[in-house]
Amino acid sequence: MLLKYIPLFLLVQLSIAAAKPLDPELLKSDDPVQQELVRQAKEETANLLNALFRSQIDYFTEVKTHLNPQTKRFQDINIYITRLNQAIAEKEMAKKDQLWFNIFEEFKESPLLLNREAETGLSDGEYKRILTGQKLNDISTRFITNVADYFWKIAKISGKVIDNGISIVNQS
């Protein structure tokens, strides 16, 4: 049914996994330029994660508007959105990463994208139309743009880190 959308959600997982904290050796540097670059990389990573969380919140909020508030799926989505908002609110990257892992573990067995009529109150066709509407296309496009922007910014920061390292070595 929705198998063609599974790669998108796997890409979300992969992107979040790629946005891990930096090498601890870089974090120990006394060089102010290096410290600023590390700060920028952390900030970009947090921005990416928050953008991904917001995209999922937007998507599932849209899905939820088509569901009866009494259904299990509506309640599952509310819990999911609450957890994503908690992850956005977290400022510390290690905790944000742990929250994401916890959210993924909690909901990986949840059929948020699968229709069980008793849980959604909708037929398969109705639920599919909701899940594959224009909102999904918009969020998918924004997601790909966010990930591309993130990797471009991190590549630029990495180049500056290398430049700075070479400068430090040449000054020694």
Side-chain angles (χ1 to χ4, degrees):
M1 177 175 148
L2 295 172
L3 292 178
K4 69 181 184 177
Y5 294 101
I6 290 175
L8 175 65
F9 289 99
L10 292 174
L11 186 57
V12 169
Q13 304 301 323
L14 177 63
S15 298
I16 291 171
K20 293 289 183 191
L22 297 170
D23 180 356
E25 289 304 312
L26 286 176
L27 300 175
K28 294 178 187 175
S29 175
D30 291 334
D31 179 45
V33 173
Q34 196 80 355
Q35 289 175 347
E36 174 58 18
L37 294 171
V38 168
R39 187 200 62 73
Q40 288 175 15
K42 283 181 171 181
E43 185 178 310
E44 288 303 328
T45 300
N47 290 342
L48 172 69
L49 291 174
N50 289 340
L52 297 177
F53 298 153
R54 284 185 187 100
S55 290
Q56 289 189 27
I57 289 169
D58 290 348
Y59 177 74
F60 283 107
T61 297
E62 177 67 19
V63 169
K64 192 174 79 164
T65 64
H66 299 280
L67 298 173
N68 179 327
Q70 304 304 315
T71 62
K72 181 178 182 333
R73 186 71 74 247
F74 184 95
Q75 294 164 6
D76 290 343
I77 290 171
N78 271 344
I79 293 168
Y80 188 67
I81 289 171
T82 298
R83 301 285 195 278
L84 291 170
N85 278 314
Q86 290 169 341
I88 289 170
E90 180 56 55
K91 299 298 180 207
E92 187 181 320
M93 277 305 296
K95 288 182 182 176
K96 187 180 284 288
D97 189 48
Q98 186 60 50
L99 281 171
W100 175 252
F101 178 77
N102 293 346
I103 291 167
F104 179 69
E105 285 298 309
E106 183 176 355
F107 287 95
K108 74 178 182 183
E109 301 299 321
S110 176
L112 293 178
L113 297 175
L114 299 176
N115 185 44
R116 292 184 182 144
E117 197 168 330
E119 295 178 0
T120 65
L122 301 171
S123 70
D124 284 344
E126 292 170 317
Y127 200 59
K128 181 180 179 182
R129 275 190 298 283
I130 292 168
L131 293 177
T132 60
Q134 184 59 42
K135 190 75 167 181
L136 177 63
N137 291 330
D138 296 345
I139 290 167
S140 299
T141 300
R142 190 172 14 161
F143 165 75
I144 291 168
T145 301
N146 288 338
V147 171
D149 287 348
Y150 170 77
F151 284 111
W152 176 252
K153 289 174 183 176
I154 292 299
K156 286 178 21 180
I157 291 169
S158 296
K160 290 177 185 176
V161 168
I162 292 168
D163 251 8
N164 187 54
I166 291 170
S167 295
I168 292 171
V169 169
N170 287 338
Q171 290 174 357
S172 299

